[in-house]
Amino acid sequence: MFDYQTYRRWTDRTMVFLCGAAAFIAMIPLVSLLAYVIIRGVKRLDWTFLTSIPTPVGITGGGMGNAIVGTITLVIIACCVGLPIGIMAGIYLSEFGKKNKFAWCVRFTADILSGVPSIVTGIVAYTLIVRPMHNFSALAGGVALGFMMIPIVTRTTEELVKLVPHSIREASWALGVSQWKTILNVVIRTARNGILTGVLLSIARIAGETAPLLFTAFNNQFWPHGINEPTASLTVQVFTYAISPFKDWQDQAWTGALVLLILVLAVNMAAKLFFKNPRQLLR
Amino acid sequence: MNPSLDATKDTQIEKPLPFFSQMSQAGFGDKVFQKLTAFFAFLILFLACMTAFTLWHASADSIHKMGWKFLTTSDWDPVQGVFGAIPYVYGTLMSSLLALLIAAPFGIGISLFLTELAPQKLREPVAFLVETLAAIPSVVYGLWGIFLLAPFMREHIDPLLIKYIGGPFFKGPSTGLSLFTAGVILSIMILPTITAISREVFESVPNSYRESAKALGATNWETIQLAVMKPSKVGLLGAIMLALGRALGETMAVTMVIGNRPEVSANLLGASHSMASVIANEFSEAVGDIHVSALAEIGLLLMVITLLLNIAAHLLVWFTTSKFQR
C-alpha cells in the first residue's frame, strides 16, 4: 500500500528541488549571454573602436565613437527633461501627498506610465517633435527617453524621501526653520544618496533603450554637430549592425553590445554603491 | 486666513502641534514650495493625457479610413492603403502568452526558493543575478537571440518538439526565427519582473502564518502551499499581469528573432510578427501619411491593452501587499 507519509516527504523533496533547479536554470541564459558578449566583443575592442566613426562596408576599421557620444548626449537631454519633473513630483508625493486624492492619482498614473511600451513613447516624441521640425534629431530622442525617466525617478524619489525619519524634520522645525527650507536643506540632503541611486538606475534603464530612438534620434554615420540633427546611439547602431548581412558589421555589433553592457552595468553598480538596499528600487 | 494651516494639513504630521502653525514665520514660502512641487506632480498627469491624446490624434486618419476593419481584417498593404492588424495582434499575444507559460513557473519557483527555502547566504547573490537579467538592454538580448538562441533552437530544441509533440503547433522545418523563439527570449526578459514582484508578495505574508503551518507538522512544501501561496494568490496574479504587460510592449528582442512575417498560423515554429516590431520596422520608412497613421493606431492599440493590464495588475498588487500591513 502506498504510504501517505512517504508521499508527503517525497513531494516535499521534489518541490524543494524543483524550486532550486529553477533558480539554477535561470542562471544559464545569463551566463551564456554575458560569456558570449565578452568573448565575441573583445575581438574588436580597441582604442580605434571607441574613437572612430563607422566606415563603409568592405573597408576595415571604423568604430562607434560617434554612437558613444550620441548615447551620452541623449542621456543628458533625457536628464534635463526627466530629472526636474521626476524629483520635484517625488518630493511632492512624499512630503505633501500622504493622504490626498490628487497624490493618489499622480502615484497611480506614474505607475501606469512606467508600463507604457517604450516604442509607444517613441511615436509620441515623433509626433510632437520630429514631425513639426521636419527632421530626426537628438532632441526628439532625448525627450522620448526623458518621458520614460519621469515615472521611474518620481517613484524612487518618493520611496527614498519617505525613508527619512520624521524626527529629523521635527528637529529642524523646532529650530524655527520653515517647512520648505527643511525639505530642501535637511530632508533632501539626508536622502541625497538614495535619490542619486534612483537617478542612476533610471539612467541605466534608458541608456539601453533602442525602440524609442529608431524614429526619433534615428542614426548617423558621422560625428554629431548639434542636437538638432539625426544622432547615432550605441543601441541603434548595435541593432543596425546585428541585422546586417556583413560579417565585419556583425562583429562590431558584438563589440558595441559589450561597450553598452559595460556602461549599463557600471552605472547599475555605481547606483548600488550609493545605496545599500536597492531592492526596493528595482520595481 | 492662515496659509500654513493648509500646508501642514497634508504633511506627515498626524496632529500638528497647536502652536506650530502660528509660530511658522515662513508660511508664504511653504505655500509657494508646495504649489511648485504640486505643479510638477501635475505634469505627470499632463504627460499621461498628452501621450493618449497624441496617439489618438496621430492615428485619427487611419481610424477614420479603416474603422473597425482595422481590428477584423488581416491584410496589411501600405501601398494599397489597406491596413488590418490581426496578424500583429496575434503574434504579440501568442509570444507573450508563451513567455508567461515559461516564465511564471520559473519565476514563482525562484522567488519561493529565495524567500522560503534557500540558505541565507545564497539568497542575496541569486537575487542579484536574477536582477542583473533585468539590467541587460533588450537589443543585447536580441543580438544574443539572433546569433545564439535561434541557431540553438533550430539545431537542438525544435527537432525534438517536432518529433515528440508535433501536431499543428510544432511543424517543421524550423528556421529558428519563430514565434516560439520569441516566446523563449521574452520569458527570460520578464523573469526578473515576476521574481521581484512575487518575492515582494511572499515577503509580505506574516511569519506567524508559516509558524502555524509548521506547528501543525507541515513539511516545507505544505507550508508553502498553505501559508504562503494561498494568501498571495491575488498578488501573484498581479505579478503575472505586470510581466505580461512588459512582454506585450517589448520591441527589440522580439523584432530580431520573430522572423517578421505577418501571418496567423497555429504553427509556433513558423515566422510571425508583433505589434511593436511592425512599428519598429516600418515607422521610419513609412509610405505616406496614412501608413504612419496606421502604425500609430497599432501603437494606440498596444498602449490600450498594456494600460488595462497594468491598471488591473497594480490594483491587485496593492491590494495584497497592503492587506497584511494593517
Side-chain angles (χ1 to χ4, degrees), chain A residues 151-167:
Chain A
I152 314 175
V153 174
T154 304
R155 294 294 270 146
T156 48
T157 306
E158 186 202 348
E159 296 289 324
L160 286 157
V161 172
K162 258 191 201 159
L163 290 182
V164 175
H166 201 59
S167 53

Side-chain angles (χ1 to χ4, degrees), chain A residues 8 12 32 36 109 179-180, chain B residues 11 30 45 144 148 217 221-222:
Chain A
R8 282 181 62 200
D12 182 48
S32 145
Y36 251 74
T109 312
Q179 199 187 4
W180 70 284
Chain B
T11 59
D30 285 351
L45 296 182
W144 178 76
L148 214 77
W221 178 247
E222 284 161 349

Side-chain angles (χ1 to χ4, degrees), chain A residues 30 38 44 54 58 64 74 89 93-94 101 118-119 153 238 254:
Chain A
L30 178 69
I38 293 171
R44 284 291 309 269
M64 294 193 180
L74 289 167
L93 289 182
S94 66
K101 280 196 186 116
S118 56
I119 191 133
V153 174
V238 168
W254 284 100

Side-chain angles (χ1 to χ4, degrees), chain A residues 8 12 15 27 32 36 94 96 109 112 117 120 126 154 178-180 210 215 242 264 268-269 279 282-283, chain B residues 10-12 26 29-30 33 44-45 48 55 131 135 139 143-144 148 199-200 217 220-222 252 283 307:
Chain A
R8 282 181 62 200
D12 182 48
M15 294 317 286
M27 299 299 119
S32 145
Y36 251 74
S94 66
F96 305 108
T109 312
I112 302 302
V120 170
Y126 174 87
T154 304
S178 63
Q179 199 187 4
W180 70 284
T210 320
F215 36 83
V264 168
N268 248 306
M269 296 294 159
R279 260 206 59 221
L282 284 172
R283 259 177 272 167
Chain B
D10 293 332
T11 59
Q12 297 194 339
D30 285 351
F33 186 73
I44 291 180
L45 296 182
L55 271 182
E131 277 158 12
V139 70
L143 187 69
W144 178 76
L148 214 77
R199 196 177 165 198
E200 204 174 304
N220 276 334
W221 178 247
E222 284 161 349
M252 299 322 294
F283 203 93
L307 220 60

Side-chain angles (χ1 to χ4, degrees), chain A residues 8 11-12 15-16 19-20 22-23 25-27 29-30 32-34 36-37 40 84-85 88-89 91-92 94-100 102 104-106 108-113 115-120 123-124 126-128 131 136 147 150 154-155 162 166 169 173 178-180 183-184 205 208 210-211 214-215 218 235 238-239 242-243 250 253-254 257 260-261 264-265 268-269 272 279 282-283, chain B residues 7-8 10-14 20 26 29-30 33-34 36-38 40-45 47-48 50-51 54-55 58 106 109-110 112-113 117 124 126-133 135-141 143-144 146-148 188 191 196 199-200 203 217-222 245-246 249 251-252 255-256 276 279-281 283-284 289 292 295-296 299 302-303 306-307 310-311 314-315 318:
Chain A
R8 282 181 62 200
T11 326
D12 182 48
M15 294 317 286
V16 170
C19 286
I25 293 172
M27 299 299 119
L30 178 69
S32 145
L33 188 145
L34 291 179
Y36 251 74
V37 170
R40 299 208 41 182
I85 303 181
M88 289 297 264
I91 291 172
Y92 175 81
S94 66
E95 295 298 304
F96 305 108
K98 203 78 195 283
K99 282 176 187 127
N100 71 42
F102 173 66
W104 190 89
C105 282
V106 172
F108 196 70
T109 312
D111 278 352
I112 302 302
L113 271 182
V116 169
S118 56
I119 191 133
V120 170
I123 300 182
V124 172
Y126 174 87
T127 320
L128 290 178
R131 209 160 227 199
F136 298 114
F147 284 171
I150 292 173
T154 304
R155 294 294 270 146
K162 258 191 201 159
H166 201 59
R169 294 186 182 88
W173 291 334
S178 63
Q179 199 187 4
W180 70 284
I183 293 174
L184 287 182
R205 171 101 50 101
T210 320
L214 288 173
F215 36 83
F218 203 59
T235 46
V238 168
F239 173 61
I243 58 173
Q250 293 172 357
W254 284 100
L260 182 64
L261 209 56
V264 168
L265 292 182
N268 248 306
M269 296 294 159
K272 282 170 195 181
R279 260 206 59 221
L282 284 172
R283 259 177 272 167
Chain B
T8 47
D10 293 332
T11 59
Q12 297 194 339
I13 325 171
E14 267 78 28
F20 172 70
D30 285 351
F33 186 73
Q34 188 192 355
L36 188 71
T37 53
F40 280 102
F42 172 76
L43 282 182
I44 291 180
L45 296 182
L47 177 67
M50 191 183 68
T51 303
T54 311
L55 271 182
F106 272 99
I110 294 171
L112 281 177
F113 182 70
L117 303 167
E124 279 312 312
V126 174
F128 172 77
L129 289 175
V130 175
E131 277 158 12
T132 307
L133 278 176
I136 296 172
S138 65
V139 70
V140 178
Y141 275 110
L143 187 69
W144 178 76
I146 292 184
F147 291 105
L148 214 77
I188 301 169
L191 190 67
R199 196 177 165 198
E200 204 174 304
E203 275 171 358
T219 60
N220 276 334
W221 178 247
E222 284 161 349
R246 192 151 290 184
T251 315
M252 299 322 294
T255 308
M256 290 161 93
I279 302 175
N281 280 330
F283 203 93
S284 57
D289 286 347
V292 171
L295 289 168
L302 187 60
M303 194 187 72
T306 47
L307 220 60
N310 269 298
I311 291 175
H314 278 294
L315 290 177
W318 278 10

